[in-house]
Amino acid sequence: MGTRKLKILLVEDDKVDQMAFRRFVAESDLGYDYTIAGSVTEAKNVLASDKFDAVISDYRLGDGTAFDLLSLIVGAPVVVTTGAGDQDIAVKAMKSGAYDYLIKDRERNYLKVIPTTIEKALRRKELEDQLHIAQFSLDNSADLVLWATPDGKLTYANDEACQSLGYTRGKLLSLNLRDIVFDTSSKETKRVAKSLREKQSLRLEPWFSRKDSSTFPVEIQMNYEEFNEREYVFVFARDISKRKQADKALRESEEKLRVMFEAIGDGVGVTDLEATMVEVNEAFLHTFGLGDKKEAIGLTSFDLIAEKDHPKLLEHVGNILESGQSETREYTLLYNAGQEFQGETTAALMRDGSGNPVGFVSATRDITERKRTEQALRESEEKFRTIFENVNDEIIFVDENGVVIDVNERVEDIFGYKKEEVIGKTSLRSNLPLRM
């Protein structure tokens, strides 16, 4: 696809000049998509219905002048042509918004410079548009933007800077950077200025002081630039009050979690998805007989569980990954990587902010004593049951309401009723007759 043709509007009331323009465009193969208007009125009608990349207008027209059109032409550079001796008019046109002017000559050689003049006007227009956009973005930036001389004299401040610091733009530009950077000594200012010249760029986190003397933390990017033998300092600052508050809240939260982590009586371990320890608490070290955290970090869950329970661990991990729910299992664990003991481990899946699994957290407790107690209780209950069933007298247990809750075998021998027939009855002796 070829380059788009430039749309040119020529406003010229002289028929000969119109013909000369047409001939020049054709002979020079300029490829302009041009329109010719012979008066101010005709030009206004054309401008109302079409847009152009550039406009060339003679100053003196039959029903007015080029000045009558300048305010109507938006987004296109205007080149004004004048006759010899009209230089004052040309200057006035430039001040009124025209991009350039050409002085007509009898031989119409001025036409030869039209392409170059239009090209320069379009380039200037492009640069002005870019400058306007850049200025708009600076003026309306959410960050504070300041320009200063090397000694700190402020020369530019955007809207956010004025609003955040509480000054009018005029008042702010009468100040020095030292006036708004809180608690900065002259020595420190000189040190920063020297460092900025050497490095060309600095990132700092000072505090700014508002007009009402209140302060707030900022993160600033300072840049040093030399242009046309002049020195400039550009400051881009961002209010980080909320970030500082969030950082403080995070530190406090992390401290609370750390205290809780260490205070938990169970041995807590954090692993990655490969079951490698990345963090443990003091109770974990005590539970597994480890000397310090350095000794624990890097171990895997398999190093701490007897080999016979490794299949159980794999199943445990698989269930948690599949369900996303915490699970509790009993394992034969290894104390100091050797001596076995009974433990109970509750493990849960950890996820990142996007919900992706990143590891596991587990809480382990030594249940050796509990297991011994449970075994002793079972043995005691078995002894009691043996005596209960083999004593020669009938034994009946009732609750506080007199309801039978258990009987031994002698009840059947004496009363003739099976155990399931009497449990739940009341006053067995008075309500149940002997069954022969």
Side-chain angles (χ1 to χ4, degrees):
M1 182 179 293
T3 305
R4 183 180 69 86
K5 291 183 177 181
L6 289 177
K7 292 188 66 174
I8 306 296
L9 172 61
L10 174 67
V11 186
E12 175 62 69
D13 62 346
D14 189 304
K15 298 295 184 180
V16 176
D17 283 336
Q18 291 180 7
M19 292 175 60
F21 179 81
R22 288 191 180 95
R23 184 170 58 253
F24 173 75
V25 171
E27 292 177 351
S28 302
D29 195 23
L30 295 176
Y32 288 165
D33 178 10
Y34 62 86
T35 301
I36 297 178
S39 64
V40 171
T41 302
E42 188 177 349
K44 287 182 178 180
N45 292 333
V46 171
L47 290 169
S49 59
D50 205 353
K51 293 184 180 299
F52 297 89
D53 295 309
V55 177
I56 305 170
S57 178
D58 189 16
Y59 169 65
R60 299 182 186 279
L61 300 165
D63 57 348
T65 69
F67 292 155
D68 298 323
L69 299 174
L70 287 177
S71 62
L72 302 177
I73 301 171
V74 179
V78 178
V79 177
V80 175
T81 60
T82 65
D86 286 339
Q87 286 86 346
D88 291 341
I89 297 298
V91 172
K92 183 179 178 182
M94 295 286 286
K95 290 181 178 180
S96 300
Y99 273 67
D100 208 341
Y101 69 91
L102 296 174
I103 297 178
K104 292 182 177 181
D105 58 308
R106 290 181 180 277
E107 293 76 20
R108 294 183 172 81
N109 289 321
Y110 77 94
L111 292 172
K112 297 178 181 179
V113 298
I114 282 181
T116 303
T117 303
I118 290 178
E119 182 180 347
K120 290 181 178 179
L122 289 172
R123 179 55 183 160
R124 178 183 162 194
K125 176 67 169 57
E126 182 183 0
L127 293 174
E128 287 183 353
D129 288 347
Q130 291 176 354
L131 180 60
H132 175 78
I133 292 171
Q135 186 70 50
F136 179 85
S137 65
L138 286 175
D139 289 342
N140 294 277
S141 171
D143 293 336
L144 290 74
V145 181
L146 301 164
W147 298 353
T149 59
D151 61 357
K153 174 70 174 65
L154 293 176
T155 59
Y156 168 80
N158 72 342
D159 295 344
E160 184 62 28
C162 297
Q163 182 176 344
S164 295
L165 295 168
Y167 291 100
T168 63
R169 183 170 279 101
K171 178 59 179 177
L172 187 54
L173 295 183
S174 70
L175 302 179
N176 192 288
L177 268 175
R178 293 190 300 273
D179 298 321
I180 62 173
V181 179
F182 177 68
D183 197 23
T184 300
S185 65
S186 176
K187 182 178 180 181
E188 175 67 9
T189 299
K190 292 179 180 178
R191 185 194 69 78
V192 171
K194 182 175 182 295
S195 180
L196 181 60
R197 278 193 175 92
E198 293 172 351
K199 299 180 179 180
Q200 305 292 303
S201 178
L202 289 177
R203 187 177 292 272
L204 305 169
E205 287 193 7
W207 286 66
F208 275 2
S209 179
R210 299 186 181 92
K211 181 181 179 181
D212 62 6
S213 298
S214 62
T215 60
F216 61 100
V218 291
E219 178 185 72
I220 66 173
Q221 173 72 40
M222 300 182 71
N223 297 95
Y224 173 81
E225 179 69 27
E226 290 185 18
F227 181 70
N228 285 344
E229 299 183 350
R230 295 183 66 181
E231 297 175 287
Y232 299 90
V233 174
F234 303 104
V235 179
F236 301 88
R238 176 168 298 178
D239 186 340
I240 56 173
S241 299
K242 291 183 178 179
R243 192 186 81 186
K244 289 288 188 181
Q245 293 168 1
D247 289 346
K248 180 181 178 183
L250 179 60
R251 287 194 300 271
E252 292 175 349
S253 177
E254 288 177 341
E255 178 62 17
K256 290 177 182 177
L257 288 174
R258 187 194 67 78
V259 172
M260 291 171 59
F261 184 72
E262 296 297 345
I264 294 174
D266 292 341
V268 180
V270 179
T271 72
D272 58 21
L273 288 174
E274 283 70 44
T276 301
M277 292 294 164
V278 295
E279 185 60 77
V280 299
N281 67 350
E282 289 295 329
F284 185 95
L285 302 178
H286 176 76
T287 299
F288 289 96
L290 300 172
D292 55 33
K293 292 188 177 183
K294 290 182 180 179
E295 186 178 351
I297 302 303
L299 294 176
T300 70
S301 298
F302 294 94
D303 296 324
L304 303 170
I305 295 177
E307 186 174 354
K308 63 182 180 181
D309 279 353
H310 285 185
K312 185 191 296 185
L313 174 60
L314 289 172
E315 180 190 5
H316 193 183
V317 170
N319 288 346
I320 294 172
L321 282 171
E322 182 177 352
S323 68
Q325 304 296 317
S326 63
E327 285 193 9
T328 301
R329 298 286 178 90
E330 293 183 2
Y331 292 99
T332 300
L333 304 175
L334 300 177
Y335 184 83
N336 199 15
Q339 181 182 348
E340 293 185 353
F341 68 97
Q342 295 301 304
E344 181 182 77
T345 297
T346 299
L349 186 64
M350 295 192 305
R351 301 179 185 274
D352 62 17
S354 300
N356 301 310
V358 294
F360 302 93
V361 59
S362 63
T364 300
R365 63 180 56 180
D366 186 340
I367 59 171
T368 303
E369 289 302 319
R370 192 184 82 187
K371 286 293 185 181
R372 288 173 183 168
T373 301
E374 290 174 352
Q375 180 62 26
L377 179 60
R378 284 194 297 272
E379 293 175 355
S380 176
E381 288 177 342
E382 184 61 29
K383 289 179 182 179
F384 170 77
R385 177 58 59 181
T386 300
I387 296 172
F388 179 70
E389 296 296 349
N390 291 283
V391 72
N392 289 325
D393 295 324
E394 77 275 16
I395 299 177
I396 303 170
F397 284 104
V398 296
D399 62 16
E400 65 272 17
N401 297 315
V403 178
V404 176
I405 58 175
D406 202 2
V407 297
N408 66 353
E409 292 180 357
R410 288 291 293 157
V411 169
E412 182 178 354
D413 295 338
I414 295 173
F415 291 94
Y417 291 95
K418 293 185 178 299
K419 181 181 295 189
E420 56 268 22
E421 292 181 280
V422 296
I423 291 178
K425 305 295 183 180
T426 58
S427 303
L428 183 63
R429 287 183 175 272
S430 60
N431 291 335
L432 293 176
L434 292 176
R435 179 180 289 175
M436 302 304 291

